[in-house]
Structure formats: structure tokens, C-alpha cells
Amino acid sequence: MNRRGFLQLIGAASAAALTSSCNRVSSVVGNLSGPTDLIRFPEKTEMILLTDRPPQLETPIHYFRQDLTPNEAFFVRWHLEGVPTSVDLRTFRLNVSGHLRHPLLLTVDELRTQFEPISIIAVNQCSGNSRSFFEPHVPGGQWKHGAVGNAKWTGVPLKAILGRAQLKSGAVDVSFNGLDVPPLPSVSDFVKALSIDHARDGEVMIAYAMNDQPLPMVNGFPLRLIVPGWYGTYWMKALSDITVLPHPFSNFWTDKAYRIPNAPNGTESPKDLAKDTVPINRFNVRSIFVRPEPDEILHSGAPTEIEGIAFDSGYGIRRVEVSTDGGTTWTDARLDPEIGKYSWRRWRASWTPSNRGQYRLMARATNAVGETQSKEQWNRSGFMWNVIQQVGVKVG
Amino acid sequence: MTPKTKCVVLSLGLAAVFAGCGRPANTPQEADHGIAHSEMESMLDSNVDSPVHTIVMPHDEPVFPPGPGHDEFVTACVVCHSPRYITMQPRFSQAMWLSEVKKMKDVYGAHISDEQVPRITDYLVSINGKASTGKGPKGAYGE
């Protein structure tokens, strides 16, 4: 048997071993129509199971009632099957190399003790959050709105690391690689890059703590990159290699994947796909209902608190308008005090429905530079969803 | 290894899968989606000061029914990712599933021969596809 045949055999045997939990062999229904599967991963609480290998776990919306998303509930998304499951802090090194004078090999302890720490409260959102709402549907992680979270990230500004390493002139990009590895040699390793100016802006940072705790393994222990205001694809988990380049970075995950139409709000239509695309980058502005939850039953004559969160790429939320009549009339919600420029901001509105029946609640956020949410939106990858959310509730 | 031996090993592997499913036919069953709900104990060091941090990933993978294309699917696809990557999707058209299978082969280098592409596609359509022949939008690279 040649090597290819042998690999296929191993693959089949592994697959058989992996599927050894007792499952009924019966028709399999697409998850969109079925009840939600929940799963508990190590160091995590019960989360909505999209996929287990590699894992994609969604946060139940009620966790967004807290300003900081608990580590055990923070969403999880890996691209490659070889997710790191064991790290020895004695031998782990953050490798900083490339177009610089002093390559560095830093332990987590050295990062904690040799550099002045900073903390930033910042939203991390998956590029494909809310993808399941795209019409027509597109393939990919079929998230509802829970692939997002807000946390306090503590660590070292990347600027300080690059400063110690002393860049050579002519640095163009900085690439970031994590400990995860591809399942086949033909699968491109998951590596992303930022421009040198972005990398040095003092806000991009390497976090060794999340909400004052070490990161859960499936959220990137021991280190992850924090890119405030930019989509999660750049927030490299289990960060192990930083490479400064004297030329633009190029790989599958930058040149082919994670591209958006070079058009307002990254929008195109299925019959007229954009010819010009750019790498996905900063968040658009959006809001997400926290209460009531879809299909909740409320009582006529009883006051109810409508609540949600809103965020953008760092300009700040100026207003959130709420409608309880399907968009006919709008009133301003009350905004909680700002937590930080990259944190989400909570908004609230009190509502006493007088009549029984079905209602559509809507929320529309606008930021300080006038960006607002869209009424409809589509792109082939299911990225950047920020359509004005509608929540159906019943008043009885 | 001869083809016959390979067949025996595969059969033993699949037998191991089905051997675990020893439920009598009249056992009460929860909502049937062919997916078991499993919980695994997280495995952490008991000593939080230990420099070695280790977890064990749970597996909760649906077993797909037999049929034409099933074996190719298990060999070419499940080696890299859980079958949930298929069941999670909406019911896509034949055209969309074909686009996805081609993407796995051409972009990610999955071990799928030209002859296996339509077989695997038809199998995925049987699992989670639409009967209509409408063309879906062009699939995208990356997620």
C-alpha cells in the first residue's frame, strides 16, 4: 500500500474511533430547524454547540446582561483541527523574529514582569457573527448573535515588544501565528498579519489575562493578540510567533479568505458579486437585544425593561433608537455610562405594552461619526452582519 | 496491506462504532436528530500552580447513515473535521454542496478524487440538502 492509501486507512480508523460515542444511526436534521444542542467544554460553561471539532461554541444571549462576558461563557472559534490542548509554561516561548535587530524568546512570566502592563476592555466579535441570518443563506459557522463578547484584556502593548526587539527600517507588516496546526499539509496554517503602523499603535496588545484570570485553553491560553475594534480573525489565539516582514504579508487566510467587497458596509448581491475585495478590518456599528429574548411572553399593562448592547470600532455610540411597533415610531434609549472606547455600551428602554398581541421590537445604533445600522445586507461570506435586529414578542 | 485486509480493518472500525449502540428498540428516546448529547468532565491539573495546563476535548460527533458516498465522506472529510460542519449548515442546494466539496478539494487539499466529488456531493445532499435544482450563490473561500 502506498502512503496515500495508508493515510486514508488511518483517517478512516481514526474517524471510527472518534465517532465511538453511542449515537443513533438515523436521519440527521439540519440544526437550523432543530432544538439547540448544548455542550460543556473544559473550563467552559454550557454553550451552544455549532461544531465540536474544531470547536465553534456560541454564547447564550443572557450572558450579555453582564458588562464583562465571563471567561467560561466567552464564545469559541478555531479553524484548524489541531487545537492546542496542553501548554507547559516552562518551555513555552513567544518567538519574536524577522526584520528586527534583537529577536526575542519570551516566557509568559517575562511578559508579566518585564513589561509595564496595560488593560483594555474590548469587544471581540467573530467576522461571521449572525451569519445564520443572511438571506440567501451562505456556508460557514451558522451563528446567531452570540459569537461576540466583552472582556477586560490585560497584557503588554505590542508596541513595547517591538520596541525592545528594535525594528529595522523598511518593516511593512507583522504576522501572527498560534499553536494550532492544520490537519493536512495542504491546509494553510492559520496566520494573520497587521500593518506595522497598526501593530505599533499602542492599543494592539498581547493579553495574558482575560477578566483578571488566565485565558481558558479554548480561548487561547496562554497568550492571545488583542486588536481593539477589529474583527476577531486577527485576534490570534495561543499566540506563539510574531514575525516582522519587510514586505506585505501574503497567505490563503489573507488573500482568499476573510475578504469583504470593497463597497459600503462590505455589501454585494448574489447576482452581482464584487470584483474588488479587501481584507475584513474594523467593526461596523451594531446593537444586539439582550432582553426581551425572542418569543418571550410579556404582559399587557406591565412595564418591561428592554435592554441591549451596542458597539462599533471605537468612535463611540452616540444614540440607540428603539421601536416597539415594527419601525413606525422610534424613541431614544437611555445609554449606560461608557465603559471604554472599545467596550460595548448598554442601552435601556422602558415599555409598557397596552394591548395584547404580537410585537416587533427593533433597535438602531448610530455612532459618533454617523455610521448606523443597515436595513438589509448581503455578502458571499456572511461577514459583518449589522442589520437592524427585530425581536418578536408576544404580549398576553 | 492487501485490499482485503484493509476492508477487514475498516469493517472492524465501523463495527466498533455500532457495537456501542446496544439500545433495545423500545428504549424511550429524546428528540431524534441522530446526535447524542454528551458531557465530558473537564480534565484540569488539580494543582493550579502547575506550569503544565492540559485539557481533554470532548467529542460529540453525529454518525451518518450508510449509503453511497458514505465511506468516501468518512475517509476524506471526517479526518479533518466533525460531521457537524455539514449538519450545522442550512439545507443547501446540490450546486452549493458541490461548490463546498470542490472547495475542500481544490483549496484545502482534501483527498478527494475527481470521481469521488459527485459521490460525496450526492451523499451530503442526502444528509442535508434541498431537492430543488436551483443554483445557490457562489460559495466563498474561508469562513
Side-chain angles (χ1 to χ4, degrees):
Chain A
M1 178 189 291
N2 60 18
R3 183 167 186 270
R4 182 188 168 100
F6 181 73
L7 280 173
Q8 286 183 326
L9 181 62
I10 293 294
S14 311
L18 285 166
T19 54
S20 58
S21 57
C22 179
N23 296 300
R24 282 171 295 285
V25 179
S26 56
S27 65
V28 179
V29 180
N31 275 1
L32 270 188
S33 55
T36 305
D37 281 328
L38 298 173
I39 195 165
R40 189 177 187 140
F41 264 60
E43 304 177 296
K44 307 292 288 182
T45 188
E46 273 206 326
M47 298 183 70
I48 299 161
L49 171 62
L50 268 61
T51 60
D52 50 321
R53 179 177 62 90
Q56 295 178 94
L57 309 177
E58 182 164 0
T59 304
I61 294 292
H62 64 82
Y63 284 101
F64 299 160
R65 297 180 192 182
Q66 303 173 55
D67 281 335
L68 297 179
T69 312
N71 291 6
E72 65 267 20
F74 211 94
F75 82 97
V76 174
R77 191 271 196 269
W78 291 87
H79 296 79
L80 308 174
E81 196 211 20
V83 174
T85 56
S86 186
V87 174
D88 184 346
L89 292 176
R90 295 169 298 191
T91 55
F92 174 84
R93 295 293 183 274
L94 176 63
N95 178 20
V96 184
S97 66
H99 198 67
L100 40 80
R101 290 188 209 291
H102 304 298
L104 307 172
L105 282 172
L106 296 164
T107 66
V108 173
D109 200 60
E110 284 166 344
L111 283 168
R112 282 181 177 272
T113 56
Q114 292 182 10
F115 295 86
E116 194 65 37
I118 61 165
S119 289
I120 296 182
I121 296 176
V123 168
N124 182 12
Q125 180 179 226
C126 180
S127 301
N129 191 24
S130 314
R131 178 182 283 114
S132 65
F133 296 100
F134 274 71
E135 284 281 358
H137 295 308
V138 298
Q142 298 298 320
W143 307 99
K144 292 198 168 73
H145 301 305
V148 63
N150 198 34
K152 175 188 172 189
W153 309 97
T154 303
V156 181
L158 180 56
K159 179 177 183 171
I161 306 290
L162 297 177
R164 178 182 289 196
Q166 289 190 31
L167 301 172
K168 289 183 184 165
S169 70
V172 173
D173 276 352
V174 185
S175 74
F176 305 95
N177 194 4
L179 294 172
D180 53 333
V181 293
L184 297 174
S186 50
V187 177
S188 184
D189 194 12
F190 187 64
V191 185
K192 296 293 286 183
L194 299 175
S195 73
I196 187 67
D197 289 339
H198 190 183
R200 285 189 297 190
D201 73 0
E203 291 177 327
V204 173
M205 57 177 282
I206 297 161
Y208 45 68
M210 179 179 174
N211 295 324
D212 299 316
Q213 295 291 315
L215 292 85
M217 187 74 74
V218 296
N219 290 112
F221 180 87
L223 304 172
R224 83 173 302 170
L225 191 69
I226 308 304
V227 189
W230 279 47
Y231 282 97
T233 183
Y234 295 98
W235 295 47
M236 191 59 59
K237 293 184 291 296
L239 178 64
S240 58
D241 292 86
I242 297 174
T243 310
V244 180
L245 303 164
H247 54 76
F249 180 71
S250 176
N251 76 347
F252 164 77
W253 297 104
T254 301
D255 303 340
K256 295 283 191 294
Y258 286 104
R259 311 280 299 188
I260 53 171
N262 190 15
N265 208 30
T267 297
E268 60 187 345
S269 76
K271 292 189 170 29
D272 187 18
L273 297 174
K275 309 272 186 303
D276 188 21
T277 63
V278 295
I280 197 170
N281 48 90
R282 62 182 192 86
F283 295 144
N284 50 19
V285 62
R286 73 173 300 188
S287 57
I288 300 174
F289 275 87
V290 174
R291 357 171 175 233
E293 295 198 33
D295 301 323
E296 221 176 289
I297 300 174
L298 308 172
H299 302 288
S300 66
T304 191
E305 282 300 301
I306 301 174
E307 179 186 328
I309 51 98
F311 61 94
D312 72 332
S313 65
Y315 294 99
I317 298 298
R318 177 193 290 154
R319 73 194 296 201
V320 177
E321 300 161 278
V322 175
S323 172
T324 56
D325 56 13
T328 306
T329 60
W330 298 84
T331 47
D332 274 281
R334 304 183 307 276
L335 295 173
D336 274 14
E338 222 184 47
I339 294 169
K341 89 192 245 208
Y342 295 111
S343 165
W344 64 36
R345 194 157 181 197
R346 195 164 303 276
W347 49 267
R348 305 169 195 273
S350 304
W351 177 47
T352 306
S354 41
N355 301 321
R356 293 176 171 195
Q358 302 278 359
Y359 289 80
R360 265 189 305 139
L361 310 181
M362 299 167 69
R364 176 172 71 197
T366 305
N367 73 358
V369 296
E371 294 173 337
T372 191
Q373 298 189 239
S374 41
K375 295 204 180 89
E376 58 180 21
Q377 183 186 18
W378 192 87
N379 54 61
R380 79 196 81 165
S381 305
F383 291 150
M384 299 180 68
W385 178 262
N386 77 339
V387 168
I388 294 164
Q389 188 184 357
Q390 301 190 33
V391 175
V393 294
K394 184 174 173 176
V395 175
Chain B
M1 197 181 290
T2 64
K4 183 177 177 188
T5 315
K6 177 179 172 179
C7 190
V8 169
V9 175
L10 272 173
S11 304
L12 283 173
L14 289 168
V17 171
F18 292 117
C21 295
R23 284 196 191 185
N26 59 354
T27 305
Q29 298 176 353
E30 65 263 52
D32 181 31
H33 293 276
I35 296 168
H37 181 185
S38 72
E39 284 189 342
M40 296 272 295
E41 294 292 321
S42 60
M43 225 162 90
L44 300 175
D45 331 298
S46 49
N47 177 8
V48 294
D49 293 326
S50 165
V52 182
H53 295 241
T54 303
I55 62 166
V56 175
M57 299 285 254
H59 290 295
D60 189 355
E61 309 203 10
V63 173
F64 283 4
H70 167 271
D71 292 355
E72 291 93 323
F73 166 75
V74 167
T75 307
C77 312
V78 179
V79 62
C80 289
H81 61 72
S82 164
R84 284 188 185 271
Y85 275 79
I86 287 88
T87 57
M88 163 180 65
Q89 306 300 334
R91 284 194 172 279
F92 281 135
S93 65
Q94 180 93 16
M96 181 66 93
W97 279 122
L98 177 62
S99 167
E100 289 298 288
V101 173
K102 282 183 173 170
K103 179 173 87 178
M104 297 300 134
K105 174 183 163 66
D106 299 337
V107 173
Y108 296 115
H111 296 145
I112 305 173
S113 70
D114 290 341
E115 294 74 33
Q116 290 172 331
V117 168
R119 270 174 72 81
I120 292 177
T121 301
D122 288 346
Y123 183 68
L124 297 184
V125 171
S126 77
I127 296 290
N128 193 16
K130 277 198 295 231
S132 73
T133 54
K135 281 182 102 165
K138 179 180 160 188
Y141 290 147
E143 291 175 345

